[in-house]
Amino acid sequence: MGERLTSGEVCTRSVTIAFKETPLIDAARLMRAQHVGCLVVVEDEAPGQRTVCGLLTDRDIVTAVVAPGLDLATLCVGDVMSTDVVTVGEDDSLIDLMRAMRAKGVRRVPVLGARGELGGIAALDDVLAILSEELSLLVAAIEHEGQRERQLRR
């Protein structure tokens, strides 16, 4: 990659959020309405500054609540969310982002601004789209080399 892409350039800036106190049923409905597989759980530290305190995935709901037969209506996001959230900074490179995903075995990583505030979320899908584009460029270079060789060696 000739350009140094940052996590801030790769991430989605529109993040669907929840709070610890959000009823789990409302969180599930929000995921469905927004067509997302996770919610970033935040706390309001200061006006306009939300900090990440957890992550809730559709898988969390299935494995921690539905599979064991718990009552979804009695739980809040804070009861089920993951608190060991892996984050990256907006200025961290795409390579740093991929290393963080690999090291922790996660598909989604909140991206933080300079003051630690939520700035976006980077998903494995975002990374794969970029890598796919890069690989397509390499394939095109190989194809072009073959065409060039055929033209020069007629």
Side-chain angles (χ1 to χ4, degrees):
M1 289 177 233
E3 302 170 14
R4 182 186 183 272
L5 287 175
T6 65
S7 297
E9 293 168 319
V10 171
C11 74
T12 301
R13 295 293 179 166
S14 176
V15 182
T16 307
I17 63 164
F19 298 93
K20 290 180 188 178
E21 306 79 26
T22 303
L24 199 55
I25 189 78
D26 292 345
R29 288 181 179 142
L30 180 60
M31 286 179 171
R32 182 176 183 202
Q34 296 296 314
H35 305 284
V36 296
C38 87
L39 302 175
V40 178
V41 185
V42 296
E43 294 175 329
D44 285 327
E45 291 292 318
Q49 184 176 350
R50 291 187 163 152
T51 58
V52 177
C53 64
L55 208 64
L56 177 72
T57 67
D58 46 8
R59 183 178 176 92
D60 292 331
I61 295 171
V62 170
T63 59
V65 180
V66 176
L70 300 178
D71 184 6
L72 188 70
T74 63
L75 299 170
C76 291
V77 168
D79 299 324
V80 180
M81 70 181 195
S82 300
T83 56
D84 57 339
V85 181
V86 177
T87 62
V88 295
E90 288 180 327
D91 292 332
D92 288 344
S93 71
L94 177 60
I95 297 295
D96 293 333
L97 171 62
M98 291 188 298
R99 284 184 180 137
M101 287 177 160
R102 183 185 65 207
K104 299 298 183 173
V106 296
R107 297 170 158 241
R108 301 170 185 101
V109 177
V111 178
L112 306 181
R115 297 183 317 249
E117 77 281 6
L118 177 62
I121 188 161
L124 184 59
D125 301 12
D126 302 321
V127 173
L128 288 173
I130 289 166
L131 294 177
S132 173
E133 183 179 334
E134 295 292 328
L135 288 172
S136 293
L137 292 171
L138 289 174
V139 168
I142 292 168
E143 289 173 352
H144 182 71
E145 180 184 36
Q147 292 169 357
R148 184 171 169 261
E149 177 70 22
R150 283 188 290 281
Q151 288 174 350
L152 289 173
R153 308 286 182 232
R154 286 185 175 185

